[in-house]
Amino acid sequence: MQTELVTKIHNQALELRVRDLLLNLLTVSSGAVDAISFLALGKVFSAFMTGNIAFLGLRVAGAPAPGAVAIVASVAAFAAGVYLSTRIVKSSERSGMWPQRVTVALGVSLIGHAVFLAVWFASNGEPTIEVAHVLLGSWALAMGMQSAAVRTLHVEGVFTTAATATIIYLAGDITNWSATVAERRRFAGVLVSLFVGATTGGLLLVHAHIYAPVLPFVITVVAVATAAIVFWRRNAGDEGDLPSRDDRTPDRHVRHC
């Protein structure tokens, strides 16, 4: 019995590390997506909707801002992605640390990445304004699906497509140092991953323009494949006998992270 308990704790710790690694990978992907979108598609974001809403406000005010159609296309596609992904994952509330449906939703989001790559290569990496709208919509759909899928994991302060909440949690923790070491490491890892993704995406766009969008696609493929390998079999066997959300992570027994 004690051996089984030790094994279970070890497996949970391993799955927790894999989960955080996957969150970092997805954040690198979204960082690259936004860097490439902003630089190559008319100064509009595909993942960072706060920036797009601000741009839309500037547009309404008559100040210099990206095109309204591009902004609306990105925001609408992102919302559609959130809706679709939520429909896929909505029954995963008590399905383990990384539910099967999260992997499915991320897998479906690859369609948006694939459409982007097909259109991008067809236009030789130099899309017209109209084609850029299609590209923004494709990536925003994928990013919306990713955001909704990650939200299902209930990892506090981590969204993979925006850093504001993560900075709030990390900076706010300084007041009472309530977060665990693992949580602080997770917050810092997400911020670093977003920076790395944006930096790498920008560098690729400058030095290997046509191949830049391949990076977020490949990273997402790796994340989906890793999640399927690590979590799929366990979820299939244990879905009927899983702890509540608050007890899933070994680094925090009282509150979920």
Side-chain angles (χ1 to χ4, degrees), residues 191-209:
L191 296 178
V192 170
S193 296
L194 191 62
F195 174 81
V196 169
T199 302
T200 307
L203 286 172
L204 285 173
L205 197 63
V206 172
H207 299 288
H209 183 88

Side-chain angles (χ1 to χ4, degrees), residues 109-140:
S109 77
L110 287 171
I111 297 175
H113 285 281
V115 170
F116 186 102
L117 286 176
V119 176
W120 176 266
F121 282 119
S123 63
N124 199 32
E126 299 292 341
T128 63
I129 294 177
E130 291 76 15
V131 172
H133 296 162
V134 175
L135 293 172
L136 284 169
S138 299
W139 253 355

Side-chain angles (χ1 to χ4, degrees), residues 2-215:
Q2 187 174 2
T3 302
E4 293 179 358
L5 179 60
V6 171
T7 301
K8 182 178 180 180
I9 293 174
H10 173 76
N11 290 339
Q12 285 182 332
L14 175 62
E15 290 174 357
L16 181 63
R17 288 194 293 271
V18 173
R19 185 200 68 182
D20 288 352
L21 173 62
L22 294 178
L23 292 175
N24 288 338
L25 284 174
L26 294 172
T27 306
V28 171
S29 175
S30 67
V33 162
D34 265 345
I36 296 168
S37 295
F38 188 82
L39 295 174
L41 302 177
K43 302 298 187 289
V44 176
F45 297 110
S46 292
F48 182 51
M49 291 300 111
T50 302
N52 286 342
I53 297 298
F55 290 154
L56 188 60
L58 292 174
R59 189 78 184 179
V60 172
V69 176
I71 297 171
V72 171
S74 183
V75 173
F78 187 92
V82 171
Y83 175 82
L84 177 59
S85 186
T86 301
R87 296 280 297 180
I88 294 173
V89 304
K90 67 177 182 178
S91 62
S92 302
E93 187 70 15
R94 295 177 60 84
S95 300
M97 186 179 295
W98 187 285
Q100 292 180 5
R101 287 178 177 267
V102 171
T103 305
V104 172
L106 292 172
V108 175
S109 77
L110 287 171
I111 297 175
H113 285 281
V115 170
F116 186 102
L117 286 176
V119 176
W120 176 266
F121 282 119
S123 63
N124 199 32
E126 299 292 341
T128 63
I129 294 177
E130 291 76 15
V131 172
H133 296 162
V134 175
L135 293 172
L136 284 169
S138 299
W139 253 355
L141 181 74
M143 292 296 96
M145 294 197 68
Q146 177 178 308
S147 296
V150 169
R151 178 174 175 267
T152 304
L153 302 177
H154 299 284
V155 183
E156 287 183 336
V158 176
F159 292 93
T160 74
T161 53
T164 304
T166 307
I167 293 175
I168 291 172
Y169 274 84
L170 185 59
D173 181 60
I174 296 175
T175 61
N176 53 19
W177 211 245
S178 60
T180 64
V181 173
E183 286 174 314
R184 288 191 288 272
R185 186 184 301 119
R186 184 180 305 124
F187 297 151
V190 167
L191 296 178
V192 170
S193 296
L194 191 62
F195 174 81
V196 169
T199 302
T200 307
L203 286 172
L204 285 173
L205 197 63
V206 172
H207 299 288
H209 183 88
I210 190 67
Y211 299 109
V214 175
L215 175 66

